Amino acid sequence: MIRFLLGLLGTAGGLYIAALYENIPIVAISGTQAFLMALSFFYILYEKKRIQVMLDLPPVMADQGEPVHIRLQAKRREGSGRMATHTMCGTHGIIKAQVAVVRKGLPTGKTRKWLRMEGGSDTADCFLSIAEPGSYEIQLRRVRFYDLTGLFYLEQRAAARGEGAWLGVLPRIYPMGISLSEAVRGFVGEAEIYDSARSGTDASETFKLRPFRDGDELRSIHWKLSAKEGELIVRENSMPRGCPVAVLVEPAAVGKEAALQCVASLSFCLMDRECAHYVVWYSDGLQDIVRARVDNEESYYEALLQLLREGGSRGKRDIGERYQEKYKGEPLLHRIFVGDGPCLRVDDREALRLKPSALERELGEVELLL
């Protein structure tokens, strides 16, 4: 809009000079300029009404420091109200859109970038690298519609303000030394997930059916199936795969880069050693602690993305007290606390303080005995 005002001032100045000196060529030039500016203005208004710029949703997660692909699309509106549809817009003037990457939960971490779409293109792409792990929102802030000359534009803010997509930037994973005791490996607890390799004592779930062998108890015989097969068939019960370990993220550590890297590394190494565990943190939104079970890679990434969505936490009470109060009576062998700094503490042992600048080396030197 400022360029239009400057153009109008220039036209008015030309007309004033033409009237002052009674110069007809200057009048013609100023009149032509005013006519072309009016055409540009109405053309841009038409483009704003005809075209909508949309943010093409990126993947919901990305690795720390890796480039994130962001795409904008220009589409033509068809219809009105709720029945409006969008198709490729075809030829248009130059369109520029401002994309902002905002760190949620913290005042820092904002990046802005302008993307440009030429007249023959309906898309604009860019790659942004995000250095710190955490919860981010990619927002479409402003859109500028230019005329065919590229000199004049009108800006659109309100329509673009609501466009946004959440992105979780995963922390780096560092190797750690973790040794599991027989008590942890053979832990049996209440759970809805069962061990696929070992039978147990939970009669509510069948592990497998097999022929009768010497030493089997009579109560384990599946009488109905035995009568059908003509031989004794034994039903083995399943073993619940409980979680012997809980990784508790203290409120001060939620959203901090080094602490997130410790949580991610610790949880990944436990999962890699086939140790089912919980990741626990305090949620400001729910005003309660949240517990996510990790058994495999899928549940690992789900738990990590849930934790990243928290951004930061303002909980004051000790996370260990909250956990014990909420899950009182549940068997648990070890609690591993991850605090700000970062620091690691297993149960009531002495806390291990780590240097963020040398985190990879120090985590590699850690040897946890569980």
Side-chain angles (χ1 to χ4, degrees), residues 135-146:
S135 177
Y136 292 84
E137 185 177 6
I138 299 177
Q139 301 172 347
L140 184 59
R141 289 294 183 85
R142 294 186 289 174
V143 180
R144 290 177 179 175
F145 295 88
Y146 287 78

Side-chain angles (χ1 to χ4, degrees), residues 4 37-53 74-79 87-95 143-148 152-156:
F4 275 110
M37 284 181 58
L39 282 180
S40 294
F41 181 78
F42 287 111
Y43 170 80
I44 296 174
L45 283 180
Y46 170 73
E47 290 285 275
K48 283 182 64 178
K49 185 176 180 180
R50 182 177 76 99
I51 297 173
Q52 181 176 7
V53 177
K75 295 190 176 183
R76 183 176 69 246
R77 294 187 178 98
E78 292 182 350
T87 59
M88 302 310 288
C89 63
T91 304
H92 56 77
I94 297 171
I95 299 175
V143 180
R144 290 177 179 175
F145 295 88
Y146 287 78
D147 65 357
L148 295 177
F152 301 103
Y153 68 85
L154 292 178
E155 192 167 274
Q156 191 176 54

Side-chain angles (χ1 to χ4, degrees), residues 28-335:
I29 293 172
S30 299
T32 303
Q33 180 180 349
F35 175 74
L36 292 176
M37 284 181 58
L39 282 180
S40 294
F41 181 78
F42 287 111
Y43 170 80
I44 296 174
L45 283 180
Y46 170 73
E47 290 285 275
K48 283 182 64 178
K49 185 176 180 180
R50 182 177 76 99
I51 297 173
Q52 181 176 7
V53 177
M54 306 172 70
L55 184 66
D56 193 6
L57 299 181
V60 295
M61 63 181 182
D63 292 324
Q64 180 181 354
E66 294 297 320
V68 180
H69 181 205
I70 299 175
R71 167 170 287 187
L72 294 178
Q73 288 188 337
K75 295 190 176 183
R76 183 176 69 246
R77 294 187 178 98
E78 292 182 350
S80 60
R82 294 185 180 181
M83 298 302 292
T85 59
H86 299 86
T87 59
M88 302 310 288
C89 63
T91 304
H92 56 77
I94 297 171
I95 299 175
K96 289 183 180 180
Q98 186 189 63
V99 175
V101 181
V102 183
R103 177 83 179 270
K104 297 183 69 176
L106 293 174
T108 59
K110 182 181 291 187
T111 303
R112 295 181 180 179
K113 187 177 182 66
W114 283 97
L115 303 183
R116 176 186 174 109
M117 280 179 277
E118 300 290 348
S121 174
D122 292 319
T123 61
D125 300 89
C126 75
F127 291 88
L128 293 177
S129 295
I130 301 178
E132 295 184 11
S135 177
Y136 292 84
E137 185 177 6
I138 299 177
Q139 301 172 347
L140 184 59
R141 289 294 183 85
R142 294 186 289 174
V143 180
R144 290 177 179 175
F145 295 88
Y146 287 78
D147 65 357
L148 295 177
T149 65
L151 295 175
F152 301 103
Y153 68 85
L154 292 178
E155 192 167 274
Q156 191 176 54
R157 288 173 179 258
R161 192 171 297 167
E163 297 286 340
W166 181 82
L167 177 69
V169 178
L170 303 177
R172 291 190 179 94
I173 301 172
Y174 300 126
M176 295 179 61
I178 298 178
S179 300
L180 303 179
S181 64
E182 287 300 321
V184 172
R185 293 183 181 277
F187 180 77
V188 178
E190 295 183 3
E192 296 181 357
I193 298 176
Y194 297 90
D195 199 312
S196 60
R198 295 178 297 169
S199 60
T201 57
D202 191 344
S204 64
E205 191 77 14
T206 300
F207 176 67
K208 69 177 180 178
L209 298 170
R210 60 170 177 80
F212 181 85
R213 294 196 296 257
D214 290 340
D216 289 336
E217 297 181 358
L218 292 178
R219 63 181 179 179
S220 65
I221 297 176
H222 195 301
W223 295 105
K224 187 178 291 187
L225 188 59
S226 297
K228 183 179 178 180
E229 295 293 331
E231 63 173 330
L232 293 179
I233 301 296
V234 171
R235 176 181 180 269
E236 289 190 13
N237 298 324
S238 292
M239 176 183 288
R241 195 181 180 194
C243 290
V245 178
V247 178
L248 292 91
V249 187
E250 295 181 358
V254 176
K256 304 295 180 60
E257 179 179 0
L260 287 174
Q261 290 173 342
C262 285
V263 174
S265 302
L266 181 58
S267 180
F268 187 87
C269 291
L270 286 170
M271 177 202 68
D272 191 51
R273 284 158 179 75
E274 299 183 351
C275 176
H277 60 280
Y278 296 115
V279 179
V280 185
W281 65 91
Y282 180 79
S283 170
D284 288 335
L286 299 176
Q287 295 292 302
D288 197 4
I289 61 172
V290 177
R291 184 174 78 170
R293 180 185 172 111
V294 177
D295 292 279
N296 47 40
E297 282 197 32
E298 182 180 354
S299 58
Y300 166 78
Y301 286 112
E302 287 178 358
L304 208 54
L305 289 176
Q306 275 186 270
L307 177 59
L308 291 177
R309 281 185 181 273
E310 282 302 321
S313 177
R314 296 185 296 274
K316 301 295 183 183
R317 223 173 123 199
D318 182 68
I319 188 74
E321 293 179 3
R322 288 182 181 273
Y323 186 87
Q324 189 173 1
E325 181 181 299
K326 184 171 183 178
Y327 299 103
K328 193 174 183 179
E330 280 197 17
L332 195 68
L333 296 184
H334 297 288
R335 297 186 301 173

